[in-house]
Every structure is written in structure tokens, then in C-alpha cells.
């Protein structure tokens, strides 16, 4: 089985969710739970961005296998990497991995950064090299990559080439606006993989079209081996790709090794609920795999089939992901009872 590396950004991208604010205790508890199940990378926040993240990164928990990640952006224009206070805050922590985000859509380079396309390439190059000089495993997030590729294919690919040549461990293609559909993601990733077969690619999808999980799996189909997402799909606007759904799909449906043993897969529902409870949020009843209704069967044709063989109306055994089946029977008044 090929290895897929999982990157959880619940504590960073997930914190962009309306109404969600993580405490330091929340971050530590969630990090520990993510590490216990076997997540490869745990992006815990942006050092220098706020007091909570500063306090967390001042005393970072260490794990045997999982790597805690600090997040930041490429250096500012017309400033050297070594003299950029924000970049240095990100790289001054004791975590082994840094994820840097940079512009790859020419529209954003000109409109948001107000710099030349070549200057942005220099910002990517300088920042990644500087991060590596600080002994950090460095991941590069290609912000707005798919929009950038559609608008200016050559420039978006220049960003990939510069990031890779600078030494980035993973080049992550981000659908930052969440507007690309799975067939677009699949096609573009295939083209990138054909152009750069040696480049280790990642995927980061937002859920604005309701297809973040499908788009992530489409990218894996075309050769991506690093998948980013959040627990329960939390995130800005409509959220991020839901790792709680992606993980069993990769293991049980596609047969990939994601570093999570099957005896740890049974912790999936517990992990999902733990994050909801820390955030004082109601769990999604019909969430795939772990929702209370995911294996609930109401009296009638479905219940009749289930009596004969559970496979008639269940695509997996619920116990594999720590869930359980239930039967809802309506009495003569039409009232349902479990």
C-alpha cells in the first residue's frame, strides 16, 4: 500500500470558523488526541499572530511520531527573510516543521501584494531557503493555486518550480476559495504531476461547493500523497475538507496506508466528538461514518433487509470507525422509537 501523509489544520485553519476560539488547553488536548490516533502533521497555529498561539508555542508538547507544525507566510516585499519579524516569529519556535503560505495566483500578487511577479517568486525562494537554514522541515502552501492555474498556468507552475528547487518538502496545491469542482481538481493535478513527476504534492481544499472531500480524493487519485484537512470539516466560510470522512475513505475504500492502524481507526468517532465537546458544538447527526444516523435504520424495507444481512444497507461495519448501528421502529401512532 502506498503511504499518504495526513496534515491536520484544525487548530489553525479551523480556528477561522465563525464562533470558534481555541484556548491553550484546547490546543494541547486536541494535539494529544490527534497524535494518539496517528496524524503525521499537526498544524497548531501561527506564532506571533495572537497571545494564545504565542503561549502554546512557548511550551510545545512533543510526540513520538506526530510532528507539530507552525504556520506563517513568506517574507514581506522589499525585506530580507532574516529581517522579517513575522517570519522570524514563526521560525523561532521549537517545532520541527514549518508551513509557509505564498501567493501563486498572479491576480493576488498584483492586487493584494502589489508587487511584481518576479518579486513574489523571490519571496517564495528566500523564505523557504531561510526556513531550511533554521533546520525546519518546510512545507509550502500554494495559496489560491487552482484559481491561479486557471488564470495563468505558466506562472502558477513557476511558483511550484521555485518552491521545489528551494527545498520544500511538500508543495501543497490549495483551493483556497473552495470554488473548484472535483473534475477540475483531478484534471489540473494530473497536468501538474505530468509536468513535475518528481515534485511531492499535497492538497488543501475548502468546502464552498460542498465537494472538499471529493476533491481531495480526486487529487489523491492523480498522485497527491499529502492531504490537509480539519476534524469535522471546521474552517472559514463553509469549512475545510473533513479528515473524519477522508481517513476511512483512504483506508477502507482505497486501501492506502495513512499511518493509522485499524485498531486506532476505531477511535475516529471519539476524536470527532472530543473536538465538538471542546468547542461546545452539537455534533452533525448525519456526518458520514461517525454521525449518530450514519448506521441508523428505520422500520420498513431497510430494517427488513438488515435482519437478513447487515451488508444489505451498510457499506462498512460501524464498529470499524467506533460507531454503532441503531434501529428506529415506528409504533401505530407513527412515533419513532430507538
Amino acid at each position: 500500500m502506498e503511504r499518504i501523509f495526513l496534515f491536520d489544520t484544525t487548530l489553525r485553519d479551523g480556528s477561522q470558523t465563525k464562533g470558534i476560539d481555541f484556548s491553550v488547553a484546547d490546543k494541547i488536548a486536541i494535539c494529544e488526541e490527534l497524535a494518539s490516533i496517528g496524524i503525521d502533521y499537526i498544524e497548531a497555529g501561527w506564532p506571533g499572530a495572537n497571545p494564545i498561539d504565542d503561549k502554546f508555542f512557548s511550551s510545545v508538547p512533543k510526540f513520538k511520531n506526530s510532528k507539530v507544525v507552525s504556520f506563517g507566510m513568506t517574507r514581506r516585499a522589499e525585506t530580507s527573510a532574516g529581517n522579517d519579524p513575522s517570519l522570524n516569529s514563526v521560525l523561532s519556535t521549537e517545532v520541527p516543521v514549518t508551513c509557509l503560505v505564498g501567493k501563486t495566483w498572479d491576480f493576488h500578487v498584483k492586487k493584494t501584494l502589489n508587487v511584481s511577479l518576479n518579486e513574489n517568486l523571490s519571496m517564495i525562494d528566500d523564505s523557504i531557503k531561510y526556513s531550511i537554514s533554521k533546520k525546519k522541515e518546510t512545507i509550502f502552501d500554494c495559496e489560491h493555486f487552482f484559481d491561479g492555474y486557471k488564470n495563468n498556468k505558466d506562472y502558477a507552475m513557476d511558483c511550484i518550480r521555485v518552491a521545489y528547487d528551494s527545498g520544500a518538502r511538500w508543495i501543497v496545491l490549495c483551493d483556497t476559495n473552495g470554488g473548484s469542482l472535483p473534475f477540475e481538481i483531478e484534471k489540473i493535478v494530473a497536468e501538474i504531476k505530468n509536468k513535475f513527476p518528481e515534485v511531492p504534492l499535497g492538497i488543501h481544499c475548502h468546502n464552498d461547493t460542498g465537494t472538499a472531500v471529493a476533491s481531495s480524493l480526486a487529487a489523491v487519485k492523480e498522485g497527491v500523497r499529502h492531504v490537509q484537512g480539519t476534524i469535522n470539516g471546521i474552517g472559514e466560510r463553509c469549512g475545510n475538507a473533513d479528515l473524519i470522512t477522508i481517513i476511512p475513505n483512504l483506508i477502507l475504500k482505497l486501501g492506502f496506508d495513512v499511518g493509522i492502524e485499524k485498531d486506532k481507526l476505531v477511535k475516529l468517532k471519539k476524536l470527532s466528538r472530543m473536538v465538538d465537546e471542546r468547542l461546545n458544538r452539537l455534533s452533525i447527526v448525519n456526518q458520514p461514518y461517525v454521525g449518530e444516523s450514519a448506521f441508523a435504520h428505520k422500520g420498513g424495507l431497510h430494517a427488513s433487509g438488515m435482519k437478513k444481512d447487515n451488508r444489505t444497507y451498510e457499506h462498512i461495519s460501524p464498529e470499524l470507525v467506533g460507531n454503532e448501528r441503531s434501529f428506529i421502529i415506528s409504533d401505530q401512532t407513527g412515533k419513532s422509537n430507538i
Side-chain angles (χ1 to χ4, degrees), residues 237-255:
R237 302 187 312 276
C238 302
N240 290 48
D242 185 0
L243 285 180
I244 294 295
T245 302
I246 288 175
I247 289 169
N249 279 334
L250 289 174
I251 297 173
L252 302 176
K253 302 296 183 178
L254 299 176

Side-chain angles (χ1 to χ4, degrees), residues 79-326:
T79 302
S80 69
N83 288 317
D84 188 311
S86 177
L87 183 57
N88 277 283
S89 291
V90 172
L91 299 178
S92 66
T93 69
E94 295 183 2
V95 300
V97 185
T98 293
C99 182
L100 298 178
V101 63
K103 305 294 186 186
T104 58
W105 184 5
D106 60 343
F107 168 73
H108 259 260
V109 175
K110 298 172 184 176
K111 190 76 173 178
T112 306
L113 294 181
N114 194 29
V115 301
S116 71
L117 298 183
N118 283 335
E119 171 64 8
N120 182 59
L121 293 177
S122 294
M123 291 159 64
I124 294 170
D125 181 59
D126 294 344
S127 302
I128 293 173
K129 286 179 178 176
Y130 184 60
S131 175
I132 292 171
S133 76
K134 297 294 185 180
K135 311 299 182 186
K136 303 290 187 184
E137 177 184 341
T138 306
I139 297 167
F140 181 63
D141 274 4
C142 299
E143 188 181 25
H144 295 285
F145 178 80
F146 293 95
D147 291 311
Y149 188 85
K150 295 171 193 176
N151 192 59
N152 187 335
K153 181 184 299 187
D154 290 338
Y155 186 70
M157 290 193 293
D158 284 344
C159 293
I160 289 178
R161 171 54 66 193
V162 168
Y164 179 67
D165 288 346
S166 299
R169 171 66 182 88
W170 295 101
I171 312 296
V172 182
L173 311 180
C174 302
D175 188 29
T176 310
N177 282 348
S180 298
L181 294 172
F183 72 89
E184 296 178 286
I185 300 284
E186 183 175 346
K187 178 177 181 292
I188 291 172
V189 171
E191 290 175 3
I192 296 301
K193 201 62 186 172
N194 183 60
K195 178 73 175 178
F196 304 112
E198 75 283 11
V199 173
L201 296 177
I203 187 72
H204 176 116
C205 292
H206 284 257
N207 201 39
D208 297 72
T209 59
T211 58
V213 169
S215 291
S216 299
L217 296 176
V220 168
K221 176 179 176 290
E222 295 304 327
V224 160
R225 292 297 177 261
H226 167 116
V227 178
Q228 298 192 0
T230 63
I231 301 305
N232 300 331
I234 63 173
E236 194 168 18
R237 302 187 312 276
C238 302
N240 290 48
D242 185 0
L243 285 180
I244 294 295
T245 302
I246 288 175
I247 289 169
N249 279 334
L250 289 174
I251 297 173
L252 302 176
K253 302 296 183 178
L254 299 176
F256 284 106
D257 172 12
V258 301
I260 298 175
E261 301 298 330
K262 286 196 174 181
D263 63 338
K264 296 289 183 68
L265 192 61
V266 300
K267 294 184 176 183
L268 212 57
K269 181 176 179 178
K270 177 187 173 186
L271 172 61
S272 172
R273 294 296 182 274
M274 179 265 194
V275 172
D276 282 336
E277 289 167 5
R278 298 288 315 193
L279 297 174
N280 197 27
R281 287 164 57 96
L282 291 175
S283 297
I284 301 170
V285 174
N286 61 342
Q287 186 175 6
Y289 289 103
V290 301
E292 293 297 331
S293 296
F295 300 95
H297 308 280
K298 195 168 184 178
L301 186 64
H302 288 209
S304 175
M306 286 293 294
K307 287 181 180 179
K308 298 171 183 175
D309 193 312
N310 294 332
R311 293 172 297 176
T312 55
Y313 288 99
E314 288 181 350
H315 66 109
I316 66 162
S317 171
E319 291 80 13
L320 290 174
V321 291
N323 210 344
E324 57 186 9
R325 69 177 56 89
S326 61

